[in-house]
Amino acid sequence: MKITLMILLIFVIIFMLFYGGYYLIRPSQKGEEILKDLNLPHPTIIAHRGASNIAPESTEAAFIKAVEMGVDYVEADIHRTKDGKIVVLHDSNLKRTSNVEEIYPDRQNNHVNTFTYNELLKLDFGSWFNEKHPNKADEEYNNLKIITLERLLEIAEHGKQSTGVVLDLKDVWKYPSIEKDIIEILQREKWYGKQRKSSKELNDKGNILIFSFNLKTLKTFKELAPSITRVLLLNQNMLSIRGWKRWLDLAEECSHGLAVKETLTWPWNLALAHNRKLFVFPYVINKTWQLRIGAHINSSGYITDRPELVLRFLK
Ligand code: G3P
């Protein structure tokens, strides 16, 4: 009798472990619905700094390549020059991706916002790529210029299909009212608020996504341009300061989704986000094994330097 009871108990424990395990790792299916309500494709493919694995990041060449591949969005980091132009650049200074050392040797560590737009135009943002990646080098990359937000919108609009644009606002504490400046440009270029220039049918929500690590910036966009989709960026450091649930509380107040660094979030974390109607994009996804996991957990999107790989995988 005792043995029968023991065996029964072991079976119950095994069943509970399996069922509990499955419950934790089963993929949430709600992401697709959340994206649909926001007029976003599932999964959303976002080219991080353009097709930045095969062309110099954040340049016209990288964005044109990504648009031609047919990505859903190109992602661009945003700064403001000393004379108020909104330009595309990832880093806070110009050292890594330009020849600033040669042209302005005394200013190589200076913040990009200490340069005027005309000063930035004297720099070459492509040759570093040819030197660093001789196997991917292309003469066309020599002497590529910094681009403005207006030029980026033009590139996105003139692909075979209208490509969306993700704007990741960098160093916002250095740029008072940059949110207002961006909204003004989007309105002027008919990307927000009015009828679009192009005849291609997309509504406001699908065209521009605002990404930020800064909750205040997202709240400002919510106030000034509520129909633009907003995404809270999280990195490992932020996640070690506050837990996932606390970030979800904060994200719920100002954003429609999250983009999470390096890791494909655990399925149970995804489910928690989806239950609050927040989608989750992982960044940066450049490897096939990551895509396999992404497919298994039904990832809402992929932010990638290698859109060619992601598009091939998803096909
Ligand atoms: O798209 C997310 C991304 O822009 C944030 O990361 O590394 O490009 O600043 P990072």
Side-chain angles (χ1 to χ4, degrees), residues 59-139:
T59 62
E60 200 164 287
F63 291 122
I64 290 174
K65 279 193 194 305
V67 165
E68 282 173 355
M69 281 175 204
V71 298
D72 300 311
Y73 285 83
V74 286
E75 185 263 359
D77 302 286
I78 294 299
H79 285 275
R80 189 168 67 194
T81 64
K82 191 175 173 185
D83 52 343
K85 275 263 181 213
I86 303 293
V87 290
V88 178
L89 182 80
H90 178 267
D91 298 359
S92 303
N93 67 44
L94 303 150
K95 254 190 348 195
R96 187 178 58 89
T97 58
S98 85
N99 60 342
V100 67
E101 289 179 26
E102 187 191 316
I103 309 294
Y104 305 112
D106 304 336
R107 301 168 71 190
Q108 47 182 294
N109 291 312
N110 293 8
H111 196 279
V112 56
N113 76 346
T114 61
F115 290 79
T116 63
Y117 178 57
N118 276 336
E119 283 174 335
L120 292 178
L121 282 180
K122 298 204 170 73
L123 298 176
D124 168 353
F125 284 86
S127 298
W128 69 272
F129 183 89
N130 286 348
E131 281 156 31
K132 191 169 174 199
H133 307 286
N135 54 332
K136 301 179 198 169
D138 189 323
E139 263 185 36

XYZ file of all heavy atoms in Angstrom, residues 59-139:
664
model
N 24.244 55.582 -42.704
C 24.485 56.400 -43.899
C 23.394 56.107 -44.933
O 22.668 55.107 -44.833
C 25.844 56.069 -44.557
O 25.815 54.697 -44.986
C 27.002 56.306 -43.612
N 23.369 56.989 -45.929
C 22.439 56.818 -47.038
C 22.562 55.406 -47.641
O 21.570 54.747 -47.911
C 22.810 57.872 -48.087
C 21.718 58.165 -49.042
C 21.981 59.471 -49.786
O 21.842 60.538 -49.166
O 22.311 59.395 -50.966
N 23.822 54.936 -47.826
C 24.043 53.615 -48.440
C 23.371 52.518 -47.616
O 22.704 51.631 -48.169
C 25.544 53.349 -48.562
N 23.522 52.572 -46.292
C 22.956 51.521 -45.428
C 21.430 51.589 -45.436
O 20.752 50.553 -45.461
C 23.482 51.680 -44.007
N 20.869 52.785 -45.437
C 19.407 52.895 -45.419
C 18.808 52.489 -46.763
O 17.797 51.787 -46.806
C 18.981 54.319 -45.031
C 19.289 54.636 -43.580
C 20.094 55.697 -43.229
C 18.769 53.844 -42.564
C 20.394 55.979 -41.899
C 19.056 54.108 -41.225
C 19.875 55.184 -40.902
N 19.453 52.914 -47.856
C 18.921 52.549 -49.187
C 18.937 51.027 -49.350
O 17.968 50.425 -49.802
C 19.704 53.258 -50.319
C 19.388 54.763 -50.291
C 19.377 52.660 -51.692
C 20.175 55.619 -51.252
N 20.016 50.385 -48.932
C 20.097 48.921 -49.064
C 18.963 48.240 -48.284
O 18.326 47.321 -48.785
C 21.451 48.407 -48.553
C 22.557 48.558 -49.588
C 23.790 47.776 -49.185
C 25.004 48.144 -49.991
N 24.859 48.043 -51.441
N 18.725 48.723 -47.059
C 17.674 48.101 -46.234
C 16.301 48.310 -46.864
O 15.479 47.383 -46.914
C 17.712 48.683 -44.830
N 16.061 49.506 -47.368
C 14.772 49.807 -48.003
C 14.585 48.906 -49.232
O 13.525 48.318 -49.441
C 14.709 51.312 -48.378
C 13.585 51.602 -49.357
C 14.552 52.170 -47.118
N 15.659 48.763 -50.020
C 15.559 47.919 -51.227
C 15.313 46.452 -50.889
O 14.688 45.725 -51.647
C 16.835 48.065 -52.071
C 16.820 49.365 -52.862
C 18.127 49.650 -53.576
O 19.099 48.881 -53.388
O 18.177 50.663 -54.312
N 15.820 46.017 -49.729
C 15.589 44.612 -49.334
C 14.125 44.369 -48.972
O 13.667 43.243 -48.928
C 16.435 44.282 -48.098
C 17.873 44.004 -48.402
S 18.719 43.782 -46.808
C 20.367 44.196 -47.310
N 13.435 45.450 -48.606
C 12.023 45.308 -48.246
C 11.779 45.139 -46.757
O 10.821 44.464 -46.361
N 12.616 45.754 -45.922
C 12.358 45.688 -44.474
C 11.101 46.489 -44.153
O 10.660 47.317 -44.949
C 13.559 46.242 -43.642
C 14.798 45.426 -43.883
C 13.807 47.723 -43.943
N 10.552 46.260 -42.975
C 9.373 47.039 -42.571
C 9.783 48.432 -42.088
O 9.092 49.405 -42.343
C 8.626 46.313 -41.448
C 8.166 44.936 -41.886
O 7.570 44.856 -42.975
O 8.428 43.949 -41.174
N 10.901 48.492 -41.368
C 11.366 49.766 -40.814
C 12.886 49.871 -40.914
O 13.587 48.868 -40.810
C 11.010 49.880 -39.318
C 9.549 50.158 -39.083
C 8.635 49.118 -39.073
C 9.083 51.448 -38.874
C 7.283 49.355 -38.880
C 7.739 51.701 -38.674
C 6.847 50.655 -38.677
O 5.517 50.900 -38.485
N 13.363 51.115 -41.090
C 14.787 51.368 -40.874
C 14.904 52.118 -39.549
O 14.083 52.984 -39.253
C 15.430 52.198 -42.019
C 15.617 51.345 -43.254
C 14.620 53.438 -42.355
N 15.910 51.752 -38.764
C 16.095 52.378 -37.446
C 17.240 53.372 -37.513
O 18.296 53.073 -38.085
C 16.392 51.292 -36.404
C 16.478 51.802 -34.984
C 17.896 52.068 -34.487
O 18.859 51.834 -35.245
O 18.028 52.518 -33.337
N 17.007 54.576 -36.956
C 18.032 55.618 -37.020
C 18.137 56.326 -35.667
O 17.121 56.651 -35.050
C 17.663 56.630 -38.099
N 19.375 56.552 -35.233
C 19.602 57.291 -33.986
C 19.693 58.776 -34.307
O 20.250 59.162 -35.338
C 20.897 56.807 -33.337
C 20.844 55.322 -33.051
O 20.138 54.930 -32.114
O 21.472 54.553 -33.808
N 19.145 59.572 -33.409
C 18.941 60.987 -33.715
C 19.711 61.894 -32.758
O 19.689 61.689 -31.533
C 17.421 61.291 -33.605
C 16.642 60.540 -34.690
C 17.133 62.780 -33.656
C 17.013 60.886 -36.100
N 20.383 62.905 -33.333
C 21.030 63.970 -32.546
C 20.648 65.315 -33.146
O 20.094 65.383 -34.255
C 22.558 63.814 -32.602
C 23.079 62.698 -31.752
N 23.362 62.850 -30.407
C 23.372 61.405 -32.051
C 23.820 61.704 -29.923
N 23.830 60.800 -30.899
N 21.013 66.400 -32.442
C 20.755 67.748 -32.971
C 22.067 68.521 -33.018
O 22.817 68.536 -32.039
C 19.737 68.473 -32.077
C 19.251 69.784 -32.659
C 18.041 70.324 -31.905
N 18.365 70.711 -30.556
C 17.465 70.955 -29.595
N 16.178 70.855 -29.854
N 17.832 71.302 -28.393
N 22.323 69.175 -34.158
C 23.588 69.904 -34.305
C 23.512 71.226 -33.533
O 22.437 71.647 -33.088
C 23.879 70.215 -35.786
O 22.850 71.101 -36.257
C 23.923 68.966 -36.636
N 24.666 71.885 -33.440
C 24.762 73.160 -32.720
C 23.783 74.193 -33.299
O 23.211 74.993 -32.569
C 26.203 73.669 -32.880
C 26.563 74.823 -32.015
C 28.036 75.111 -32.195
C 28.434 76.382 -31.486
N 29.841 76.710 -31.761
N 23.579 74.125 -34.629
C 22.672 75.084 -35.259
C 21.279 74.490 -35.512
O 20.524 74.976 -36.352
C 23.285 75.657 -36.547
C 23.768 74.575 -37.509
O 23.932 73.412 -37.083
O 23.978 74.880 -38.693
N 20.940 73.428 -34.776
C 19.546 72.980 -34.751
C 19.084 72.002 -35.824
O 17.893 71.736 -35.927
N 20.002 71.429 -36.617
C 19.590 70.420 -37.617
C 19.452 69.070 -36.927
O 20.304 68.702 -36.101
C 20.665 70.270 -38.699
C 20.529 71.284 -39.801
C 19.781 70.690 -40.981
C 19.677 71.717 -42.082
N 18.447 71.610 -42.852
N 18.433 68.318 -37.308
C 18.277 66.968 -36.756
C 19.012 66.006 -37.697
O 18.695 65.929 -38.891
C 16.791 66.574 -36.652
C 16.019 67.591 -35.794
C 16.635 65.164 -36.103
C 16.396 67.627 -34.337
N 20.022 65.314 -37.139
C 20.856 64.439 -37.975
C 20.873 63.003 -37.438
O 20.514 62.755 -36.279
C 22.318 64.959 -38.063
C 22.397 66.232 -38.892
C 22.932 65.151 -36.684
N 21.315 62.100 -38.297
C 21.332 60.672 -37.953
C 22.758 60.237 -37.610
O 23.670 60.349 -38.443
C 20.803 59.840 -39.152
C 20.861 58.354 -38.835
C 19.383 60.259 -39.514
N 22.935 59.757 -36.389
C 24.253 59.285 -35.933
C 24.016 58.482 -34.662
O 23.173 58.872 -33.850
C 25.160 60.493 -35.615
C 26.576 60.151 -35.167
C 27.446 59.823 -36.382
C 27.216 61.308 -34.395
N 24.757 57.406 -34.472
C 24.549 56.645 -33.243
C 25.323 57.215 -32.054
O 24.758 57.540 -31.027
C 24.930 55.164 -33.426
C 24.765 54.407 -32.138
N 25.794 54.229 -31.233
C 23.670 53.838 -31.569
C 25.348 53.580 -30.186
N 24.061 53.322 -30.357
N 26.641 57.344 -32.204
C 27.476 57.710 -31.047
C 27.310 59.178 -30.671
O 26.862 59.993 -31.476
C 28.958 57.462 -31.371
C 29.240 55.992 -31.653
O 28.315 55.166 -31.576
O 30.410 55.668 -31.958
N 27.769 59.508 -29.470
C 27.708 60.906 -29.025
C 28.838 61.723 -29.636
O 28.744 62.936 -29.759
C 27.843 60.979 -27.506
O 26.850 60.203 -26.924
N 29.948 61.050 -29.978
C 31.004 61.793 -30.683
C 31.251 61.136 -32.041
O 30.615 60.137 -32.396
C 32.281 61.914 -29.839
C 32.950 60.587 -29.617
O 33.079 59.779 -30.543
N 33.374 60.326 -28.391
N 32.210 61.710 -32.790
C 32.334 61.338 -34.209
C 33.499 60.400 -34.486
O 33.747 60.033 -35.640
C 32.513 62.632 -35.019
C 31.362 63.623 -34.795
C 31.827 65.048 -34.935
C 30.235 63.308 -35.758
N 34.184 60.013 -33.409
C 35.448 59.279 -33.579
C 35.345 57.943 -34.303
O 36.116 57.645 -35.196
C 36.065 59.037 -32.190
C 37.239 59.941 -31.997
C 38.112 59.732 -30.824
C 37.736 58.844 -29.708
N 38.588 59.087 -28.541
N 34.376 57.138 -33.904
C 34.319 55.765 -34.417
C 33.910 55.706 -35.889
O 34.418 54.876 -36.638
C 33.344 54.934 -33.558
C 33.316 53.460 -33.889
C 32.377 52.696 -32.964
N 31.018 53.190 -33.012
C 30.081 52.762 -33.852
N 30.357 51.806 -34.720
N 28.865 53.264 -33.807
N 33.015 56.582 -36.302
C 32.437 56.411 -37.646
C 32.721 57.576 -38.610
O 31.988 57.751 -39.590
C 30.905 56.197 -37.556
O 30.343 57.339 -36.893
C 30.545 54.935 -36.822
N 33.764 58.367 -38.305
C 34.125 59.416 -39.287
C 35.619 59.688 -39.213
O 36.326 59.136 -38.367
C 33.343 60.706 -39.029
O 33.999 61.484 -38.053
N 36.066 60.586 -40.086
C 37.488 60.966 -40.083
C 37.703 62.264 -39.301
O 38.521 63.092 -39.680
C 38.002 61.104 -41.517
C 37.226 62.165 -42.289
O 36.130 62.550 -41.883
N 37.787 62.637 -43.385
N 36.954 62.439 -38.205
C 37.064 63.666 -37.400
C 38.506 63.913 -36.925
O 38.953 65.063 -36.840
C 36.059 63.629 -36.209
C 36.409 62.550 -35.206
C 35.945 64.979 -35.538
N 39.233 62.827 -36.659
C 40.618 62.970 -36.174
C 41.480 63.736 -37.170
O 42.379 64.477 -36.793
C 41.247 61.586 -35.950
C 40.652 60.885 -34.752
C 41.257 59.507 -34.526
O 42.412 59.287 -34.931
O 40.547 58.667 -33.953
N 41.150 63.518 -38.465
C 41.931 64.146 -39.525
C 41.466 65.596 -39.755
O 42.275 66.509 -39.894
C 41.691 63.293 -40.775
C 42.494 63.596 -41.991
C 41.895 62.807 -43.164
O 41.566 61.591 -43.000
O 41.707 63.427 -44.212
N 40.153 65.808 -39.750
C 39.615 67.129 -40.123
C 39.591 68.100 -38.941
O 39.897 69.276 -39.084
C 38.191 66.991 -40.728
C 38.187 65.946 -41.843
C 37.646 68.326 -41.236
C 38.993 66.301 -43.080
N 39.187 67.613 -37.776
C 39.142 68.485 -36.580
C 39.900 67.795 -35.445
O 39.286 67.320 -34.472
C 37.695 68.718 -36.130
C 36.777 69.274 -37.191
C 35.735 68.493 -37.709
C 36.925 70.576 -37.659
C 34.878 68.999 -38.677
C 36.061 71.094 -38.630
C 35.049 70.293 -39.134
O 34.199 70.790 -40.087
N 41.251 67.706 -35.548
C 42.009 66.913 -34.562
C 41.798 67.336 -33.107
O 41.818 66.493 -32.219
C 43.476 67.104 -34.988
C 43.483 68.114 -36.066
C 42.103 68.321 -36.566
N 41.519 68.608 -32.893
C 41.340 69.046 -31.493
C 39.941 68.770 -30.958
O 39.670 69.003 -29.786
C 41.580 70.565 -31.369
C 42.942 70.953 -31.877
O 43.820 70.067 -31.868
O 43.091 72.110 -32.315
N 39.060 68.349 -31.845
C 37.653 68.214 -31.404
C 37.159 66.772 -31.483
O 35.953 66.521 -31.445
C 36.774 69.119 -32.272
C 37.179 70.582 -32.185
C 36.498 71.405 -33.266
N 35.073 71.582 -33.031
C 34.224 72.089 -33.929
N 34.674 72.469 -35.102
N 32.944 72.205 -33.654
N 38.104 65.830 -31.584
C 37.662 64.455 -31.852
C 36.828 63.833 -30.734
O 36.043 62.941 -30.991
C 38.832 63.561 -32.210
C 40.017 63.684 -31.296
C 41.137 62.802 -31.764
O 40.997 61.588 -31.745
N 42.241 63.382 -32.186
N 36.984 64.335 -29.492
C 36.166 63.765 -28.415
C 34.926 64.596 -28.121
O 34.151 64.264 -27.225
C 37.002 63.641 -27.132
C 38.068 62.586 -27.284
O 37.776 61.474 -27.747
N 39.304 62.930 -26.950
N 34.772 65.674 -28.862
C 33.644 66.567 -28.574
C 32.311 65.943 -28.968
O 32.233 65.162 -29.922
C 33.811 67.895 -29.317
C 34.996 68.674 -28.773
O 35.756 68.161 -27.953
N 35.168 69.904 -29.230
N 31.297 66.345 -28.230
C 29.951 65.840 -28.511
C 29.485 66.353 -29.875
O 29.829 67.477 -30.265
C 28.989 66.314 -27.408
C 27.713 65.554 -27.381
N 26.669 65.831 -28.236
C 27.304 64.492 -26.626
C 25.674 64.987 -27.992
N 26.034 64.167 -27.027
N 28.705 65.543 -30.552
C 28.216 65.939 -31.885
C 27.455 67.275 -31.843
O 27.488 68.051 -32.798
C 27.368 64.792 -32.515
C 26.225 64.371 -31.628
C 26.838 65.156 -33.879
N 26.842 67.592 -30.714
C 26.048 68.833 -30.658
C 26.904 70.097 -30.550
O 26.389 71.206 -30.487
C 25.011 68.784 -29.523
C 25.610 68.999 -28.148
O 26.836 68.926 -27.972
N 24.778 69.266 -27.171
N 28.247 69.914 -30.548
C 29.126 71.095 -30.557
C 29.548 71.438 -31.992
O 30.314 72.370 -32.204
C 30.387 70.851 -29.691
O 31.103 69.753 -30.258
C 30.025 70.550 -28.245
N 29.056 70.675 -32.957
C 29.379 70.915 -34.369
C 28.160 71.485 -35.089
O 27.027 71.081 -34.809
C 29.760 69.600 -35.074
C 31.080 69.035 -34.637
C 31.196 68.336 -33.438
C 32.217 69.211 -35.429
C 32.417 67.815 -33.033
C 33.443 68.681 -35.025
C 33.539 67.985 -33.822
N 28.415 72.407 -36.034
C 27.298 72.870 -36.871
C 27.096 71.828 -37.979
O 27.989 71.008 -38.247
C 27.597 74.233 -37.527
O 28.716 74.055 -38.403
C 27.877 75.312 -36.492
N 25.970 71.939 -38.649
C 25.681 71.001 -39.731
C 26.740 71.118 -40.833
O 27.245 70.112 -41.329
C 24.270 71.272 -40.266
C 23.874 70.399 -41.419
C 23.892 69.012 -41.309
C 23.480 70.972 -42.630
C 23.532 68.210 -42.378
C 23.112 70.170 -43.699
C 23.151 68.789 -43.575
O 22.795 67.997 -44.632
N 27.109 72.353 -41.178
C 28.120 72.538 -42.234
C 29.462 71.946 -41.841
O 30.186 71.411 -42.679
C 28.268 74.020 -42.585
C 27.201 74.418 -43.584
O 26.678 73.570 -44.312
N 26.849 75.695 -43.595
N 29.791 72.032 -40.564
C 31.054 71.415 -40.107
C 30.976 69.894 -40.264
O 31.937 69.252 -40.700
C 31.311 71.779 -38.646
C 31.839 73.194 -38.472
C 31.960 73.616 -37.007
O 31.238 73.059 -36.135
O 32.777 74.510 -36.732
N 29.821 69.327 -39.935
C 29.666 67.866 -40.059
C 29.735 67.417 -41.524
O 30.237 66.333 -41.824
C 28.345 67.411 -39.435
C 28.231 67.549 -37.922
C 26.847 67.117 -37.449
C 29.302 66.736 -37.197
N 29.271 68.292 -42.402
C 29.285 67.935 -43.831
C 30.703 67.772 -44.386
O 30.902 67.175 -45.428
C 28.532 68.978 -44.656
C 27.004 68.890 -44.609
C 26.384 69.985 -45.470
C 26.510 67.516 -45.072
N 31.694 68.305 -43.664
C 33.085 68.165 -44.135
C 33.656 66.779 -43.802
O 34.745 66.431 -44.224
C 33.955 69.247 -43.494
C 33.500 70.652 -43.874
C 34.646 71.649 -43.746
C 34.271 72.991 -44.340
N 33.319 73.768 -43.544
N 32.910 65.989 -43.031
C 33.433 64.690 -42.587
C 32.993 63.547 -43.500
O 31.929 63.599 -44.122
C 32.965 64.414 -41.162
C 33.435 65.414 -40.099
C 32.814 65.075 -38.750
C 34.956 65.427 -40.000
N 33.814 62.504 -43.499
C 33.562 61.304 -44.301
C 33.080 60.191 -43.349
O 33.822 59.776 -42.445
C 34.905 60.940 -44.970
C 34.915 59.572 -45.620
O 33.946 58.815 -45.454
O 35.928 59.255 -46.282
N 31.844 59.752 -43.540
C 31.257 58.757 -42.630
C 31.250 57.343 -43.227
O 30.536 56.480 -42.732
C 29.825 59.162 -42.253
C 29.771 60.280 -41.241
C 29.825 61.608 -41.645
C 29.710 60.005 -39.885
C 29.798 62.644 -40.724
C 29.686 61.026 -38.949
C 29.726 62.356 -39.374
N 32.055 57.140 -44.301
C 32.027 55.825 -44.932
C 33.359 55.094 -44.975
O 33.401 53.867 -44.867
N 34.459 55.858 -45.097
C 35.759 55.203 -45.327
C 36.194 54.289 -44.179
O 36.870 53.288 -44.398
C 36.846 56.253 -45.571
O 36.514 56.980 -46.718
N 35.804 54.636 -42.941
C 36.180 53.791 -41.794
C 35.707 52.350 -42.011
O 36.386 51.393 -41.640
C 35.571 54.336 -40.483
C 34.079 54.199 -40.435
C 33.169 55.088 -40.906
C 33.321 53.077 -39.947
N 31.890 54.616 -40.746
C 31.951 53.382 -40.153
C 33.646 51.855 -39.358
C 30.933 52.502 -39.789
C 32.626 50.985 -38.997
C 31.291 51.319 -39.216
N 34.522 52.213 -42.664
C 33.936 50.882 -42.880
C 34.811 50.082 -43.845
O 35.108 48.906 -43.610
C 32.516 51.050 -43.431
C 31.781 49.761 -43.632
C 31.018 49.203 -42.611
C 31.831 49.090 -44.855
C 30.327 48.011 -42.798
C 31.145 47.894 -45.045
C 30.390 47.359 -44.014
N 35.261 50.750 -44.928
C 36.118 50.069 -45.909
C 37.425 49.617 -45.270
O 37.941 48.537 -45.561
C 36.410 50.994 -47.080
C 35.194 51.144 -47.985
O 34.228 50.392 -47.852
N 35.236 52.109 -48.888
N 37.956 50.481 -44.378
C 39.224 50.107 -43.716
C 39.016 48.954 -42.745
O 39.800 48.022 -42.661
C 39.791 51.310 -42.952
C 40.495 52.291 -43.874
C 40.545 53.700 -43.289
O 40.606 53.824 -42.049
O 40.506 54.656 -44.096
N 37.903 49.009 -42.009
C 37.659 47.979 -40.990
C 37.206 46.648 -41.600
O 37.482 45.580 -41.050
C 36.595 48.499 -40.020
C 36.438 47.655 -38.791
C 35.600 48.307 -37.730
C 35.383 47.325 -36.589
N 34.275 47.681 -35.743
N 36.489 46.727 -42.718
C 35.945 45.495 -43.325
C 36.367 45.412 -44.790
O 35.513 45.579 -45.691
C 34.410 45.493 -43.254
C 33.862 45.715 -41.884
N 33.886 44.757 -40.904
C 33.272 46.804 -41.331
C 33.330 45.229 -39.806
N 32.956 46.479 -40.030
N 37.661 45.149 -45.067
C 38.105 45.142 -46.474
C 37.310 44.161 -47.341
O 37.114 44.407 -48.534
C 39.579 44.737 -46.380
C 39.890 44.523 -44.945
C 38.718 44.872 -44.113
N 36.811 43.086 -46.741
C 36.052 42.098 -47.528
C 34.666 42.614 -47.937
O 34.035 42.059 -48.838
C 35.919 40.782 -46.741
C 35.323 40.985 -45.372
O 35.475 42.062 -44.770
N 34.618 39.992 -44.869
N 34.196 43.667 -47.272
C 32.872 44.227 -47.632
C 33.023 45.621 -48.239
O 32.030 46.309 -48.480
C 32.004 44.346 -46.380
C 31.745 43.058 -45.645
C 30.891 43.343 -44.422
C 30.955 42.208 -43.429
N 30.359 42.545 -42.146
N 34.273 46.037 -48.460
C 34.524 47.419 -48.902
C 33.912 47.692 -50.273
O 33.793 46.798 -51.110
C 36.020 47.675 -48.937
N 33.533 48.943 -50.475
C 32.967 49.377 -51.751
C 33.379 50.836 -51.939
O 33.262 51.632 -51.003
C 31.433 49.264 -51.658
C 30.763 49.474 -53.001
O 31.250 50.318 -53.772
O 29.759 48.788 -53.257
N 33.838 51.137 -53.144
C 34.277 52.519 -53.409
C 33.188 53.540 -53.125
O 33.439 54.657 -52.704
C 34.712 52.650 -54.866
C 36.205 52.518 -55.019
C 36.639 52.759 -56.440
O 36.032 53.617 -57.102
O 37.565 52.055 -56.875
